[in-house]
Amino acid sequence: MSTPRPAPHQLARHSTLHRYALALTPLALVLAACGAKDAAPGASGAGGGGGAGGPPPATVGVITVANEAVALQAELPGRVSAHRVAQVRARVNGVVLKQLFREGSEVKAGQALYQIDAGPYRAALESAQASVAKGQANLAQAAAQVERYKPLVEANAVSKQEYTTLVTSQKQAEADVATAKAAAQTAQINLDYASVKAPISGRIGQSLVTEGALVSAAEATQLAVIQQTDTVYVNFTQSTTDVLRLRKAIGSKQLRSAGDGSVAVRVVLEDGSELPQKGKLLFTDLTVDATSGQITLRAEVPNPDGLLLPGQYVRVRLSQAELPSGMLLPQQAVTRTNQGDTVLVVDADNKPTPRPVKIGSASQGNQWVVLEGLKPGEQVIVDGFQKMMVPGAPVKPVPWKAGASAPGAAASAAASAAASAPAAAPSAAASK
């Protein structure tokens, strides 16, 4: 039995449906692939939750605290002043003929610095010396007459009145000689003053007069300034409250002073570096400034390299006592508020936990002195706070080093890149 042949209109509809099926097949395949891609992460998340596919623990820098002897220091502002200062001034009138030094150089005591016109003073000296010679001649004549008349008056050959007049003339001649010698000495001094010499050794600054300038002894014209800076003074102040607190702590045996009783001083320059040479405290003023409540202190600091200049602003680290058992923490590890001071301590489960601490009034450089709240061996977070996004989440502690602002940052970035790489690959494949 033969199969009936389809009608012509049925053949046309079948051909059309076949063409639609062929056109929809590639679209169906693409949709199936996309569905499989979207289902894979969902299945992983449903099965593992936040397991191996979750973010790694944040890397933080920690420091392990330990008890140690801490030298308590107070950092105070101060000003540098020269050890000795001498103002070179004119002591005679005249015109400056020569400048005999180089500005900014080292000069020695007695070294000639300026030459003032000495002609008038040399002439005055010669006149005074002539007066001395004249007076000595008159004195010699008067003395000879007294010697001749002495035996005559004893023999009553001359009157005593005449002899007394001769003796008086001799004494006047002696006085005239003394006056002439004093005038000659004054003229010699003025002549010496015409050559201006350095009163002290040190570094001389800018010349305040030029050659040809007229200087005056009456006005004491200033010519230059010499300062000794191989050793300098640093003047600073400290509040009476800090001094009283420190003295009470030492008296109650909470603090112990240095063994030799000396007070060391360190100078911090404007760029933050510390002067290699250590100074010493000379004195503490006994008078308190009534307006500011401050006590003036002075330290003597060696300055062989000339790094400290008179008038320069510096900071002074004053070591006043020693804490037998204390802990030091970088200042960035401590959060200070009106409610108190706190730090973040990493517990046994590597979770950060806030811990209240007690900070001392003094500091040591850029570190706080912790008096209470921590135990030796505990790890305190110093760096990496910005990476702890989830409170209470575990962290990865690594030793912190000064100057390393972000410990483990490179490892964290690499881990983040590795975590994001698998997700980026399918997207690239899909885009292709």
Side-chain angles (χ1 to χ4, degrees):
M1 183 175 180
S2 61
T3 303
R5 186 178 179 180
H9 68 278
Q10 291 178 339
L11 289 174
R13 185 177 63 179
H14 177 76
S15 178
T16 303
L17 292 175
H18 182 67
R19 289 196 302 269
Y20 277 125
L22 292 176
L24 290 175
T25 298
L27 180 61
L29 293 176
V30 173
L31 292 175
C34 292
K37 180 187 68 174
D38 294 339
S44 176
T59 303
V60 295
V62 299
I63 185 173
T64 304
V65 295
N67 285 329
E68 57 181 310
V70 179
L72 297 183
Q73 296 178 339
E75 191 165 304
L76 307 167
R79 289 283 180 182
V80 179
S81 62
H83 190 263
R84 296 174 69 188
V85 180
Q87 295 180 347
V88 181
R89 295 182 178 271
R91 304 180 71 175
V92 292
N93 302 326
V95 176
V96 177
L97 299 180
K98 293 182 180 179
Q99 176 182 318
L100 305 175
F101 67 94
R102 181 171 55 86
E103 295 177 332
S105 63
E106 292 284 340
V107 297
K108 300 294 184 180
Q111 177 180 336
L113 303 178
Y114 295 93
Q115 181 59 56
I116 300 175
D117 184 11
Y121 304 103
R122 188 174 295 107
L125 175 61
E126 293 174 355
S127 176
Q129 290 174 344
S131 298
V132 171
K134 180 180 179 180
Q136 289 176 342
N138 294 332
L139 175 60
Q141 181 181 4
Q145 288 182 349
V146 169
E147 287 297 324
R148 285 198 305 268
Y149 274 71
K150 185 176 182 181
L152 296 177
V153 73
E154 293 176 354
N156 293 324
V158 295
S159 66
K160 294 183 178 180
Q161 175 87 25
E162 189 176 357
Y163 179 76
T164 302
T165 302
L166 293 175
V167 171
T168 303
S169 298
Q170 181 186 8
K171 292 181 178 180
Q172 288 178 350
E174 292 175 352
D176 291 340
V177 170
T179 302
K181 287 183 177 181
Q185 186 176 4
T186 301
Q188 182 65 58
I189 292 174
N190 290 335
L191 180 60
D192 293 339
Y193 284 165
S195 177
V196 181
K197 296 180 174 59
I200 62 173
S201 299
R203 186 176 296 274
I204 192 167
Q206 177 185 359
S207 177
L208 303 180
V209 297
T210 60
E211 295 177 351
L214 178 63
V215 296
S216 170
E219 298 177 359
T221 306
Q222 186 172 346
L223 308 179
V225 177
I226 302 174
Q227 301 182 85
Q228 285 186 353
T229 57
D230 52 347
T231 300
V232 296
Y233 293 130
V234 178
N235 302 314
F236 55 99
T237 58
Q238 188 177 31
S239 67
T240 54
T241 303
D242 292 339
V243 174
L244 181 60
R245 184 187 298 114
L246 185 63
R247 289 177 177 175
K248 285 184 176 180
I250 295 176
S252 60
K253 304 301 181 182
Q254 294 179 1
L255 303 175
R256 65 170 184 262
S257 60
D260 57 356
S262 62
V263 178
V265 172
R266 290 288 186 179
V267 176
V268 182
L269 303 177
E270 295 177 346
D271 61 355
S273 61
E274 191 174 271
L275 193 71
Q277 291 77 18
K278 181 174 65 174
K280 61 179 180 180
L281 186 66
L282 290 183
F283 69 88
T284 300
D285 201 347
L286 300 178
T287 304
V288 179
D289 189 345
T291 58
S292 61
Q294 302 282 322
I295 298 178
T296 301
L297 300 95
R298 167 172 283 187
E300 186 180 51
V301 183
N303 188 36
D305 300 330
L307 296 178
L308 299 179
L309 300 176
Q312 183 179 357
Y313 169 81
V314 296
R315 287 176 293 156
V316 178
R317 288 176 181 167
L318 181 63
S319 299
Q320 295 177 316
E322 187 178 80
L323 186 65
S325 180
M327 296 180 182
L328 294 176
L329 278 182
Q331 294 182 356
Q332 65 192 66
V334 182
T335 302
R336 311 203 73 179
T337 62
N338 295 332
Q339 288 72 29
D341 304 325
T342 58
V343 297
L344 286 179
V345 179
V346 179
D347 60 14
D349 298 329
N350 286 341
K351 293 183 178 181
T353 304
R355 179 79 61 81
V357 293
K358 182 179 179 181
I359 302 298
S361 59
S363 62
Q364 189 180 64
N366 60 348
Q367 293 181 311
W368 293 120
V369 180
V370 181
L371 302 179
E372 297 177 3
L374 293 176
K375 297 179 181 179
E378 290 186 316
Q379 294 181 333
V380 178
I381 298 178
V382 180
D383 193 16
F385 301 97
Q386 68 278 6
K387 292 183 288 187
M388 297 187 296
M389 305 301 295
V390 181
V395 296
K396 180 183 177 182
V398 297
W400 175 81
K401 295 182 180 179
S405 59
S412 178
S416 300
S420 60
S427 299
S431 63
K432 293 180 181 179

